[in-house]
Amino acid sequence: TVLAIDESIPFDVTISNLTIQNGQARQGAGINARGRGTLTLKNCIIKENSAVSETKEDGTVSNAHGGGIWAANGTLNLVKTTVTENSSEYNAGGILISENETLNIDSETYITKNKAVNSGGGVYINGGVFNMTAGEISENTVNENGALLDSKNRKVGAGAGVNLNKGTFILSGGKITGNTSPNNGGGVNQNRGVFTMTGGKISGNSSENNGAGLYMNRGSFTMSGGKISGNKVTSYEYAYIENGSEKTSS
């Protein structure tokens, strides 16, 4: 990890005009910020960091998470910041937020060209709140070459742009575009949690299976504004809602 913030100490840190690059760790290779405080990145670049899975002596694997950033239990503000070309051997190529973390991004923030083998090429939400009022999540991928298969020999990989595992995603502005999944949810994949869309655009994403724009497995989705359009899927639906999920729109 290039930058680690001690989770036991409350903090309010602003970092400006810095490039964080070439980190390697199992969790949070670029930045690992797990604590009761606020981290603000202004005019920063987080790039080419790699989260790498670890194999223990008994043969079990501890999976990798958060190639660019892993943040938990605080607030992460991205202001005119780019998170790009980071990778993870499991989840969250760009950013992982978990537990009670809040992530806010502005109009000149770009989360782009990150890669994860399993889920969440751009952003993986595993608890907490992601407020996207502007900015762009683009050209992120999961299971890029389709090499990872499940027990039934099917390609895995979901949520190339955003993967909502649990927690809350509020999309009120900005774009989620040009993200690619070989399975479900090229733009957004929702396993659980709450997704509220009042603005913004999900467009130009692709998947080989269901939900090139949005794939919703479980949870709650409310749409009162914005647009989901122009996404490309090999089969089935551009937006896909599983039975047992709750969708409302107005």
Side-chain angles (χ1 to χ4, degrees):
T1 300
V2 178
L3 173 64
I5 298 179
D6 192 327
E7 60 186 298
S8 66
I9 303 172
F11 60 88
D12 187 351
V13 176
T14 298
I15 299 173
S16 301
N17 305 311
L18 183 68
T19 296
I20 296 176
Q21 184 176 9
N22 296 332
Q24 182 172 302
R26 187 174 73 84
Q27 299 174 324
I31 296 175
N32 188 323
R34 294 180 292 161
R36 297 163 291 145
T38 298
L39 173 62
T40 300
L41 303 179
K42 293 184 178 180
N43 297 300
C44 290
I45 300 172
I46 315 299
K47 71 174 185 177
E48 297 174 1
N49 301 284
S50 302
V52 180
S53 298
E54 297 177 355
T55 302
K56 300 179 181 178
E57 290 183 1
D58 63 2
T60 59
V61 177
S62 295
N63 289 319
H65 302 282
I69 301 171
W70 182 24
N73 289 320
T75 299
L76 174 62
N77 300 314
L78 302 184
V79 180
K80 297 181 180 179
T81 287
T82 298
V83 180
T84 185
E85 297 182 54
N86 302 284
S87 64
S88 172
E89 290 186 350
Y90 197 62
N91 290 332
I95 300 172
L96 171 69
I97 65 168
S98 62
E99 300 171 59
N100 296 313
E101 184 74 12
T102 297
L103 169 62
N104 304 303
I105 70 172
D106 84 339
S107 61
E108 295 183 59
T109 288
Y110 300 91
I111 301 170
T112 183
K113 298 181 181 178
N114 302 285
K115 300 178 182 180
V117 170
N118 188 49
S119 298
V123 178
Y124 190 104
I125 307 164
N126 197 41
V129 179
F130 176 23
N131 291 311
M132 185 174 177
T133 59
E136 184 173 293
I137 299 173
S138 62
E139 297 182 66
N140 302 284
T141 60
V142 289
N143 196 11
E144 185 177 30
N145 299 316
L148 184 63
L149 306 175
D150 65 12
S151 60
K152 296 182 179 180
N153 208 38
R154 299 172 301 190
K155 294 177 184 178
V156 303
V162 176
N163 190 83
L164 174 57
N165 189 46
K166 60 182 180 179
T168 300
F169 178 29
I170 302 170
L171 177 60
S172 58
K175 296 189 294 184
I176 300 173
T177 184
N179 303 285
T180 305
S181 168
N183 188 16
N184 298 324
V188 178
N189 180 70
Q190 181 177 3
N191 289 326
R192 292 172 288 177
V194 177
F195 179 17
T196 301
M197 186 174 181
T198 61
K201 190 173 183 180
I202 301 173
S203 67
N205 304 284
S206 62
S207 68
E208 293 183 15
N209 201 351
N210 292 310
L214 165 65
Y215 180 90
M216 183 182 179
N217 185 19
R218 293 187 297 271
S220 172
F221 172 54
T222 301
M223 183 176 181
S224 59
K227 182 180 288 188
I228 302 174
S229 66
N231 300 285
K232 182 180 180 181
V233 70
T234 303
S235 59
Y236 303 111
E237 309 286 345
Y238 296 111
Y240 185 90
I241 311 297
E242 286 275 18
N243 291 334
S245 298
E246 179 183 350
K247 173 184 176 291
T248 60
S249 60
S250 59

